[in-house]
Amino acid sequence: MTSKVKKRLCLKKGGKRVEVRGPIVKWDSDEVSAVFAVTISQVDAAGNVVTANGASTAVYTNPKSKHWTATAVVADPGLHLEHGPATAYATATIQVDGPAYETYTWTLLTRLVDCEHNSS
């Protein structure tokens, strides 16, 4: 499987949640399905490391699924994410024929944007 995290992610609930999305560009022929987990990390203006964690609530299937989504929630109730750069850490756990499982991880820079008034 080839997947990514979108370069711009939507902040919601005053920076307490991030709507994470990513394309599934290519499935391998032996891959049956996948679930995703994600962590969004950012250093705020006060120097605190703010972390939001989440996982997909759906199981994405080959070849039907072309994208994935997850909602990441800030772990510390006293902190919030801010507009601007952040780091996304994602993991795909893929069921392959057998049944067996493979895990793929990736890290990339992303940008958090305000989507509170948008449907995305």
Side-chain angles (χ1 to χ4, degrees):
M1 169 189 287
T2 304
S3 185
K4 297 283 185 193
V5 174
K6 288 208 172 208
K7 292 181 182 179
R8 296 169 62 94
L9 301 177
C10 289
L11 276 175
K12 303 254 179 144
K13 305 286 184 188
K16 296 290 188 182
R17 293 178 173 262
V18 180
E19 297 300 320
V20 183
R21 299 173 183 263
I24 300 173
V25 180
K26 176 184 170 280
W27 287 94
D28 291 342
S29 62
D30 67 337
E31 295 172 335
V32 177
S33 64
V35 294
F36 295 84
V38 65
T39 297
I40 305 297
S41 224
Q42 183 183 60
V43 178
D44 69 12
N48 299 305
V49 176
V50 184
T51 302
N53 302 298
S56 58
T57 57
V59 175
Y60 298 93
T61 58
N62 181 8
K64 186 174 125 181
S65 299
K66 303 297 182 199
H67 71 278
W68 63 274
T69 63
T71 300
V73 179
V74 173
D76 185 330
L79 299 175
H80 65 277
L81 293 163
E82 302 171 348
H83 302 116
T87 303
Y89 307 92
T91 302
T93 301
I94 302 165
Q95 180 184 356
V96 295
D97 289 336
Y101 292 89
E102 298 174 350
T103 302
Y104 296 97
T105 61
W106 63 99
T107 302
L108 60 97
L109 293 176
T110 189
R111 178 164 288 281
L112 304 179
V113 297
D114 183 17
C115 296
E116 198 71 59
H117 301 293
N118 297 337
S119 59
S120 56

